[in-house]
Amino acid sequence: MVQHQITAPLIVVSNRLPFVLQRNKDGVISRKASAGGLVTAVAPVVVDCGGLWIGWSGLHSKEPLEFIPESDPDDKAPTAGLLSKQVVAVHIPEREFDDFYNGCCNGTFWPLFHSMPDRAVFKAHTWDAYCSVNREFANCTLQALRNSLRELDEQEKFETCPVVWIHDYQLLVAATTIRQVIEEEKLRCKLAFFLHIPFPSWDIMRLFPWDDEILQGMLACDMVGFHIEDYCLNFIDCCSRRLGCRVDRNNMLVELAGRTVHIKALPIGIPFDRFVQLAETTPRFLKLAESEKIILGVDRLDYTKGLVHRILAFERLLEKYPEHVEKVTLLQISVPSRTDVREYRQLKEEMDQLVGRINGRFSMPNWSPIRYIYGGVTQEQLAAFYRDSAVALVTPLRDGMNLVAKEYVACQIREPGVLILSPFAGAGGMMHEALVVNPYEIDKAADTIHRALNMPLDEREVRMKQLRHREQQMDVNHWMNSFLASMGAVNNSDQADPLSTKMTPLTLDDFDQYLNNHIDTICKLSLILDYDGTLAPLTSHPDLAIMPEETKRVLERLSNMPDVNIAIISGRSLENVKKMVGLDQLTYAGSHGIEILHPDGTKFVHPVPFEYAEKLRELVQLLEKEVGHSGAWVEHKGVLLTFHYRETPSQQRDEIVRKACEIFQKAGFEPHEAHMAIEAKPPVKWDQGRACIHILRTMYGADWSERVRIVYAGTEAAMQALSGIACTFRVDSSPTVRTAANFRLEGPDAVLTMLKWVEKQMNKRSPRLTRSPRLSRSPKHQRKQNTLDYSLSFEDEEDIVGNTSASFLINGRQRRFNSNCLSSN
């Protein structure tokens, strides 16, 4: 394997450090080598490029670990050259670590990602601990990145971009914090993530209550790697269906908030040559009769490994093919795992009883059918077992890759054996020459073992030769080089940076997928659109948020179509949003829907308590006095108030926001978070969602759902109310927002493209003259030049049933009625 020269420092972030730290009774810490393919491949690269390795020390202490010893001079492990200054130990309090690791990682993600949701436990406090630990890893990584960039700048390597490589399911959301900070501080780096376990399908992933945060955390990277293409496609499908991202399944690309994320299958390999060397030099450990054959199983004692199914299949083999009695022995090595977890203790008891029962049933004076080792074995012993076994049973119920299958193949240097492999391991889709069997089919598994034991030598040689050749070519160094090449981090001037490939720009054709099934040729269409950030770009001051002329022209043409009605809903005052849009035939909703003006002049105003206005004035004064500085300012919008901090320097932002929230709460207001702003809203049970429903009912009547199609584009304020009613688009450039929307759009340009698509589709309809439903129900005198000021407001809790009350403002006189009487004031 040709080793490419890495062109940038590599910062590896994993749950554990690449070696084991131990503290003796005197408190002295020692360093011990750790075996594993990941360490074997990655550690030498970190050493060579002067990179860093960040991980938990494995030791619980009250204070962060200040000293990490150097490696022993006689240490020959791959980590021997990794200096202590290249290692960053993450400190995690013991209680928090337990919630993070045992509670969330192993109690939730391990069974969920292995498609066993019935074993998963969803608890908010363990998820909180998981996020907290991920933030701590992120903060350690950011500090290491800053130090690395400082050294590069001192060497005048201003173009060199460090690669941060995050590993596995323990750190799924660490990149969220890293991405936010590197964009704020403009730190140069490339972010990558690799998942070493399976990624589940959408119907499994959606069970996790915070699945969007997981997906967004992974998408904060520039490249996300999985073992096999199936996991890549599962991930892309989840991003499309849960986050509403644009995806390119052919090129394995996902777009989120304008960033293109590359998804890549990188099947991990093993240190092939090292296992060959071990097989060649290790003596024989098994003492067998002359014709006795060994069937080998090597696994952690885990419910995903299919151990019980394997033992039952072997029992069925002896029942169905008694000629193997006294001729074949199953050697099952089960490495203890998570012995403090009840489910794992129960699995051990079940295995002990099952092995005991089968041995008691079939044993002879000089032969037992199963040799069961509950414990670890050395690398030398394992290589010998691989080499001397006639059959390897690798039959997990679900597994990311499974390196045991690859290690067995590497050690087949003498008379070749046969590999039996589950299709539910990642390796099952690559090692085609193995005998593939579904572990759930006990009878079929027994038949496959029988076939393997009787397979002719020439067939075994052909199969094993192909398997060995592939694994030798695609060893762990190939995996490492493939990753570096995917990140554009190797010295290869002939190729452009692979990460420079971007998703094609959003076009009208994209909306064929989004809206084709939603807009038909018969139903009317209601477009409900937010203003700021949706029709007009977000700016430093609201007065600068001008809607593009092209957008205005498209809206005007749409508003003149007989089957289209448009409503603009905004947090601005009603007068302001109407002025900013400047079109007459639209419905306008200001102050988040508290004020609504229809095209016919009908106006709705939701009642607001009288004392609210005075409290709002006091809040304005307090905010301007206490936090109206450093780019922060207060916008008073009638019944609403917005505290803007978009222009506040990032290093002061958290403190300004904290103080502002305290002022809101002391003044008796609940602070509502907006985009780089905090809003004070009236204490009424009315929001954009209810306003949208009111607009639709007023426009089309109560039975509109079968006759009208709704498209909403804007913020999250109305998503819940319109869920299942409208086709919804969340318009936001932030990659970390939670949304109930069907799809995402990055900003006003994407919304303009959507409006053009709608115009194109509506122009395909046969022309006909149809009056808008709202205008058709208005009295004739209301369509005259001097329209009436006609205001309707419903009480919050009684707007549908019960003692319904409402008020009208007609020609300046208020009239009030309820379900029992009508009176004039």
Side-chain angles (χ1 to χ4, degrees):
M1 172 62 62
V2 177
Q3 295 288 336
H4 296 293
Q5 183 180 359
I6 185 170
T7 58
L10 178 63
I11 301 174
V12 177
V13 190
S14 63
N15 179 52
R16 295 290 294 265
L17 291 175
F19 44 72
V20 178
L21 295 178
Q22 295 176 329
R23 182 185 283 116
N24 64 19
K25 60 182 180 181
D26 298 323
V28 178
I29 296 175
S30 61
R31 175 169 157 177
K32 182 182 175 183
S34 175
L38 175 65
V39 173
T40 302
V42 179
V45 178
V46 175
V47 172
D48 293 343
C49 71
L52 296 163
W53 199 305
I54 299 168
W56 178 55
S57 65
L59 300 174
H60 290 295
S61 58
K62 293 182 179 180
E63 300 297 329
L65 200 62
E66 295 182 357
F67 171 75
I68 295 177
E70 303 291 352
S71 62
D72 189 277
D74 297 327
D75 189 358
K76 303 300 181 184
T79 56
L82 195 64
L83 303 177
S84 60
K85 67 178 183 180
Q86 293 178 273
V87 177
V88 178
V90 180
H91 175 69
I92 308 172
E94 186 170 358
R95 176 74 176 272
E96 187 175 45
F97 181 85
D98 183 63
D99 286 340
F100 153 73
Y101 189 72
N102 294 319
C104 194
C105 293
N106 294 331
T108 303
F109 291 141
W110 182 262
L112 190 72
F113 280 48
H114 285 85
S115 300
M116 298 181 179
D118 56 312
R119 294 179 177 269
V121 179
F122 307 111
K123 294 182 179 178
H125 76 277
T126 62
W127 169 243
D128 290 341
Y130 182 89
C131 293
S132 175
V133 169
N134 272 245
R135 282 192 295 271
E136 184 60 29
F137 269 87
N139 291 332
C140 291
T141 304
L142 286 163
Q143 191 55 49
L145 176 61
R146 294 185 188 103
N147 295 338
S148 180
L149 288 171
R150 192 179 305 115
E151 292 178 7
L152 289 171
D153 291 347
E154 289 172 356
Q155 300 168 23
E156 299 185 353
K157 296 181 178 179
F158 302 112
E159 301 300 319
T160 302
C161 194
V163 175
V164 176
W165 193 8
I166 304 170
H167 285 268
D168 223 5
Y169 65 104
Q170 298 93 349
L171 301 172
L172 291 165
V173 298
T176 299
T177 302
I178 298 173
R179 173 63 61 185
Q180 289 172 344
V181 174
I182 64 175
E183 290 187 352
E184 286 179 359
E185 298 183 14
K186 293 181 171 54
L187 304 176
R188 64 184 188 275
C189 84
K190 294 179 179 180
L191 269 175
F193 179 85
F194 188 82
L195 186 67
H196 292 264
I197 63 174
F199 193 87
S201 59
W202 159 241
D203 60 324
I204 298 292
M205 190 65 197
R206 68 193 299 191
L207 299 176
F208 185 63
W210 305 276
D211 58 337
D212 56 338
E213 295 183 47
I214 295 295
L215 298 170
Q216 289 170 162
M218 297 171 73
L219 288 175
C221 296
D222 299 298
M223 193 275 285
V224 180
F226 300 93
H227 284 304
I228 60 174
E229 189 172 303
D230 282 355
Y231 306 157
C232 295
L233 294 174
N234 282 349
F235 177 72
I236 291 172
D237 190 45
C238 288
C239 293
S240 173
R241 300 178 70 171
R242 179 62 180 91
L243 301 182
C245 295
R246 289 179 66 223
V247 301
D248 181 344
R249 289 178 172 83
N250 292 328
N251 295 308
M252 298 282 192
L253 301 174
V254 176
E255 185 181 71
L256 177 65
R259 286 180 51 253
T260 296
V261 182
H262 294 243
I263 315 301
K264 195 167 182 64
L266 295 169
I268 195 170
I270 62 167
F272 188 90
D273 293 338
R274 183 161 69 90
F275 274 94
V276 171
Q277 184 181 17
L278 285 171
E280 289 173 343
T281 58
T282 302
R284 190 181 186 93
F285 288 96
L286 293 172
K287 295 181 179 179
L288 305 173
E290 186 175 344
S291 59
E292 187 177 357
K293 292 182 178 180
I294 290 292
I295 301 172
L296 179 66
V298 180
D299 308 86
R300 277 191 316 106
L301 190 66
D302 191 282
Y303 52 75
T304 65
K305 302 301 181 181
L307 296 174
V308 171
H309 298 74
R310 186 181 305 166
I311 300 296
L312 291 174
F314 182 69
E315 179 184 33
R316 185 66 182 130
L317 172 78
L318 298 180
E319 291 172 346
K320 199 170 182 180
Y321 304 99
E323 64 267 28
H324 295 305
V325 172
E326 294 190 273
K327 301 294 184 181
V328 174
T329 300
L330 172 63
L331 173 59
Q332 177 61 51
I333 301 169
S334 298
V335 180
S337 175
R338 302 168 191 166
T339 53
D340 56 335
V341 178
R342 179 175 54 85
E343 284 183 306
Y344 288 80
R345 292 197 301 269
Q346 289 175 344
L347 178 59
K348 180 185 181 300
E349 291 173 6
E350 184 177 6
M351 285 291 292
D352 290 345
Q353 293 172 6
L354 194 58
V355 170
R357 179 178 65 77
I358 294 171
N359 276 345
R361 178 184 176 190
F362 291 99
S363 287
M364 300 293 181
N366 296 311
W367 175 80
S368 292
I370 302 175
R371 299 187 190 183
Y372 183 55
I373 299 176
Y374 176 69
V377 295
T378 66
Q379 286 276 298
E380 290 77 13
Q381 287 175 321
L382 186 59
F385 293 154
Y386 285 145
R387 181 194 62 206
D388 300 332
S389 297
V391 177
L393 268 179
V394 183
T395 53
L397 305 180
R398 190 68 168 157
D399 212 337
M401 175 56 76
N402 196 295
L403 300 183
V404 168
K406 295 170 179 279
E407 292 167 1
Y408 173 76
V409 165
C411 292
Q412 289 295 295
I413 60 172
R414 297 179 181 172
E415 183 178 326
V418 179
L419 174 63
I420 298 178
L421 190 55
S422 165
F424 309 126
M430 302 173 57
M431 304 181 78
H432 312 295
E433 297 79 12
L435 301 185
V436 178
V437 66
N438 185 337
Y440 291 99
E441 296 185 76
I442 303 300
D443 257 52
K444 181 68 174 177
D447 294 341
T448 304
I449 297 171
H450 176 70
R451 178 189 169 192
L453 291 168
N454 291 290
M455 184 178 290
L457 177 61
D458 57 349
E459 184 181 349
R460 282 185 278 138
E461 288 178 337
V462 169
R463 290 178 179 274
M464 191 55 65
K465 183 178 180 180
Q466 294 296 326
L467 286 167
R468 285 175 56 79
H469 176 73
R470 183 185 300 109
E471 296 310 318
Q472 188 172 23
Q473 294 296 311
M474 300 182 66
D475 66 355
V476 72
N477 291 319
H478 175 271
W479 174 74
M480 185 71 209
N481 288 335
S482 297
F483 163 75
L484 294 173
S486 299
M487 295 300 292
V490 292
N491 190 10
N492 190 346
S493 58
D494 297 335
Q495 294 183 356
D497 185 352
L499 297 179
S500 63
T501 304
K502 304 297 181 186
M503 285 276 288
T504 56
L506 186 73
T507 66
L508 294 178
D509 293 340
D510 288 298
F511 289 95
D512 288 340
Q513 173 191 346
Y514 300 154
L515 291 171
N516 242 357
N517 295 329
H518 191 76
I519 297 178
D520 58 24
T521 59
I522 301 173
C523 293
K524 294 182 180 296
L525 175 64
S526 182
L527 292 172
I528 305 176
L529 308 168
D530 205 329
Y531 183 78
D532 290 282
T534 300
L535 293 175
L538 293 171
T539 58
S540 58
H541 193 281
D543 291 344
L544 301 177
I546 307 299
M547 183 170 64
E549 280 299 319
E550 187 177 8
T551 303
K552 185 173 182 178
R553 289 194 296 269
V554 175
L555 282 176
E556 186 172 22
R557 291 194 296 269
L558 284 169
S559 68
N560 289 323
M561 292 182 178
D563 288 342
V564 178
N565 293 283
I566 302 173
I568 310 297
I569 189 163
S570 173
R572 294 169 178 260
S573 67
L574 180 62
E575 293 76 12
N576 184 260
V577 68
K578 188 172 186 289
K579 174 186 173 184
M580 297 302 286
V581 177
L583 296 173
D584 290 333
Q585 301 184 57
L586 278 59
T587 297
Y588 291 98
S591 304
H592 294 300
I594 289 178
E595 307 170 281
I596 300 173
L597 178 65
H598 291 285
D600 61 1
T602 303
K603 187 176 181 182
F604 164 86
V605 180
H606 193 284
V608 175
F610 290 112
E611 65 272 14
Y612 170 78
E614 182 59 33
K615 290 176 64 178
L616 198 65
R617 282 192 291 271
E618 294 175 1
L619 178 60
V620 171
Q621 295 172 0
L622 283 171
L623 288 170
E624 288 178 340
K625 179 181 178 181
E626 299 293 333
V627 289
H629 57 81
S630 303
W633 61 284
V634 181
E635 181 186 10
H636 193 184
K637 301 184 286 189
V639 296
L640 298 181
L641 176 151
T642 302
F643 175 73
H644 296 273
Y645 58 88
R646 185 179 293 119
E647 298 300 303
T648 303
S650 58
Q651 60 271 23
Q652 298 177 254
R653 197 172 290 159
D654 289 346
E655 183 62 19
I656 288 276
V657 171
R658 185 188 64 79
K659 286 184 178 179
C661 288
E662 288 179 357
I663 293 170
F664 272 75
Q665 290 164 347
K666 286 179 181 178
F669 290 87
E670 181 183 352
H672 295 269
E673 187 177 344
H675 184 73
M676 293 293 184
I678 305 171
E679 291 184 327
K681 298 180 181 179
V684 295
K685 295 179 180 179
W686 190 262
D687 55 25
Q688 284 196 14
R690 291 191 67 180
C692 288
I693 299 297
H694 173 79
I695 289 169
L696 293 169
R697 286 173 61 93
T698 305
M699 187 73 69
Y700 302 106
D703 60 340
W704 53 266
S705 59
E706 296 298 322
R707 300 178 287 107
V708 184
R709 296 291 179 264
I710 318 298
V711 175
Y712 171 81
T715 64
E716 201 64 23
M719 293 296 177
Q720 293 286 350
L722 294 175
S723 177
I725 297 173
C727 181
T728 53
F729 292 87
R730 174 65 187 263
V731 186
D732 201 311
S733 60
S734 170
T736 57
V737 294
R738 299 201 76 176
T739 182
N742 300 114
F743 306 103
R744 292 187 184 218
L745 298 176
E746 185 186 356
D749 289 344
V751 174
L752 174 58
T753 305
M754 179 195 73
L755 294 174
K756 287 180 176 179
W757 184 92
V758 171
E759 182 185 23
K760 177 183 173 183
Q761 295 301 112
M762 299 307 290
N763 277 329
K764 294 178 182 178
R765 293 190 176 188
S766 301
R768 61 181 186 271
L769 182 62
T770 305
R771 201 183 306 276
S772 82
R774 181 68 188 174
L775 291 175
S776 65
R777 291 202 305 275
S778 301
K780 290 182 179 180
H781 64 270
Q782 287 186 341
R783 294 195 295 272
K784 295 179 181 178
Q785 184 175 358
N786 297 323
T787 59
L788 298 178
D789 186 7
Y790 180 87
S791 175
L792 171 66
S793 63
F794 291 98
E795 298 299 330
D796 290 336
E797 300 301 327
E798 300 176 332
D799 56 352
I800 298 178
V801 295
N803 186 25
T804 306
S805 68
S807 64
F808 294 84
L809 191 64
I810 303 179
N811 287 341
R813 295 190 63 198
Q814 185 179 17
R815 297 181 182 274
R816 188 168 186 83
F817 73 90
N818 57 33
S819 58
N820 300 315
C821 63
L822 183 67
S823 63
S824 174
N825 295 323

